[in-house]
Amino acid sequence: ATVLLTNDVVSYRGDGEEPVVDPRFEILHIDEHIVAVSKSGNIPVAEGGRYYRNVLVQVVQRHLAESSGTDEPLYQVHRLDRETSGTVLFA
């Protein structure tokens, strides 16, 4: 085990190969406060573990940047497991 000391820095390099995901989603609602999307059953909602770029929040944010030019960050309101399809809200 490694003991962290004051001013130690811990970082994560997300430059490794990520598992393949199903990036399909449908925007159900979008306004200036909320984005609601229906996600497929094989994509994580947020970064974690082996997933850093191939996650729903990043995929939707890239789509919105390309389609409308917005660069506002998205924040997940809740999460669904990677294997679960359904509606996810972002603010």
Side-chain angles (χ1 to χ4, degrees):
T2 301
V3 176
L4 296 177
L5 303 173
T6 302
N7 296 322
D8 281 355
V9 176
V10 177
S11 64
Y12 171 76
R13 289 181 47 153
D15 57 359
E17 188 71 26
E18 292 187 32
V20 176
V21 299
D22 180 357
R24 293 176 297 152
F25 69 92
E26 176 186 359
I27 296 178
L28 304 174
H29 175 82
I30 186 168
D31 63 31
E32 64 274 12
H33 302 291
I34 296 288
V35 178
V37 301
S38 176
K39 83 174 201 72
S40 66
N42 186 28
I43 186 169
V45 173
E47 299 88 348
R50 300 176 298 163
Y51 300 92
Y52 183 71
R53 291 177 300 276
N54 294 333
V55 296
L56 188 64
V57 67
Q58 297 290 339
V59 171
V60 173
Q61 199 156 329
R62 284 192 299 267
H63 170 78
L64 293 176
E66 293 169 4
S67 65
S68 64
T70 183
D71 62 350
E72 293 289 324
L74 291 178
Y75 301 98
Q76 69 187 58
V77 175
H78 66 99
R79 64 177 291 277
L80 294 176
D81 287 339
R82 178 179 55 83
E83 302 89 358
T84 305
S85 61
T87 302
V88 178
L89 297 177
F90 298 101

